[in-house]
Amino acid sequence: MPFPIALTVAGSDPSGGAGLQADLKTFHRFGVYGMGVVTVLTVQNTLGVREVVPLEPALVARQLEAVLHDPGAHALKTGALGEAAILEAVAPVIARSALPLVIDPVLSSKSGQELLPSHALEALKSCLLPIAALLTPNLLEAQALLGQPIRDLADAREAARLLASLGPRAVLLKGGHLSAEEATDVLWDGHALHLFTARKIPSVHTHGTGCTLSAAITALLAKGIPLHEAVARAKRFVTRAIETAPGIGRGIGPLNHWAGEDADGR
């Protein structure tokens, strides 16, 4: 495979701002060929999610097996998985691939619609987290996985280490929901903590932020970029993508997936 290939296993967002559609746009932006396995169909737009329909688990697994067989991939990520049965169906297929796995543990949409029921958290912990190269929860997802509050940056540092004890080789705990003037993400790489800080951008157009960040990291890992550099570049990209969001829709709009990584748009 002379050309880097990244794969997303995620839900479909027909409005194009999040989920599989955002992942594929991000892969393309980083010069990676993107493939997508659909797990969940949604009825949604920038105003909210109206309906969530998980696909039949065996069908999801067959999609995954097909594209891993040909053409294959260099890295993959998971997004919304819909239900425990889908999670359990794809986990052994992903494990056999031995590819770098980035898990974005999508539990709900920005509008609050459930995308993975709480009773499926145990399946996530037992089936997927132990084979993950990187887990990228936001504050609410981290609290749900740990069953404890995260109030400040000190809590976030400790939480990143605790999440790593569930199995993933590294954890990127996103700090955008912390009450601070800056958005500080905490990376525990298995050996040390690293902080990635950017100014918070006042914007309602943040639909698909977590999907886009994890997809950017996955694309860079597919290109052979080391984890620390991949996280730093992905965060710069998402910051610019929020800052230059096109203002599409009447609700929580999408990011600018054409954005560059720096102030010059490169």
Side-chain angles (χ1 to χ4, degrees):
M1 292 184 289
F3 199 84
I5 300 175
L7 168 63
T8 176
V9 182
S12 170
D13 171 9
S15 74
L20 183 143
Q21 286 85 345
D23 292 344
L24 293 176
K25 291 175 184 178
T26 305
F27 292 164
H28 188 78
R29 168 63 186 79
F30 280 90
V32 171
Y33 181 80
M35 303 188 299
V37 169
V38 184
T39 58
V40 173
L41 299 177
T42 69
V43 178
Q44 67 173 294
N45 54 29
T46 68
L47 299 175
V49 179
R50 303 175 185 177
E51 191 173 354
V52 177
V53 183
L55 296 188
E56 199 271 319
L59 176 60
V60 178
R62 290 198 299 273
Q63 292 180 73
L64 182 58
E65 288 167 345
V67 295
L68 288 175
H69 176 70
D70 178 74
H74 295 94
L76 75 156
K77 64 155 286 188
T78 59
L81 294 172
E83 61 184 21
I86 292 176
L87 195 155
E88 291 164 350
V90 301
V93 183
I94 294 173
R96 287 194 298 271
S97 77
L99 293 171
L101 168 64
V102 176
I103 296 177
D104 182 12
V106 180
L107 304 184
S108 63
S109 69
K110 278 282 194 302
S111 60
Q113 175 68 46
E114 185 177 76
L115 295 171
L116 186 72
S118 57
H119 62 77
L121 285 179
E122 290 307 314
L124 178 64
K125 292 178 184 179
S126 62
C127 295
L128 274 187
L129 294 194
I131 61 174
L134 178 68
L135 175 69
T136 66
N138 62 29
L139 203 66
L140 299 179
E141 292 159 349
Q143 290 177 153
L145 286 166
L146 292 174
Q148 65 184 53
I150 302 171
R151 293 170 291 260
D152 52 29
L153 186 56
D155 285 353
R157 289 170 178 262
E158 180 60 22
R161 293 191 185 94
L162 290 174
L163 287 165
S165 71
L166 299 178
R169 295 196 297 277
V171 174
L172 179 66
L173 177 52
K174 297 171 290 189
H177 290 101
L178 289 172
S179 57
E181 293 183 0
E182 295 180 313
T184 299
D185 299 346
V186 179
L187 173 67
W188 170 252
D189 65 7
H191 305 284
L193 283 170
H194 307 271
L195 302 183
F196 300 84
T197 300
R199 64 186 180 84
K200 282 188 178 178
I201 300 166
S203 174
V204 299
H205 300 297
T206 56
H207 184 50
T209 305
C211 304
T212 300
L213 179 71
S214 57
I217 295 169
T218 304
L220 290 163
L221 293 178
K223 297 174 78 170
I225 303 299
L227 178 61
H228 189 278
E229 181 183 346
V231 170
R233 289 181 60 181
K235 185 168 178 69
R236 288 197 299 269
F237 168 66
V238 169
T239 299
R240 287 288 295 156
I242 296 172
E243 188 175 44
T244 60
I248 292 172
R250 291 181 286 123
I252 303 173
L255 313 183
N256 173 20
H257 288 99
W258 295 284
E261 296 177 44
D262 57 32
D264 296 323
R266 292 177 295 186

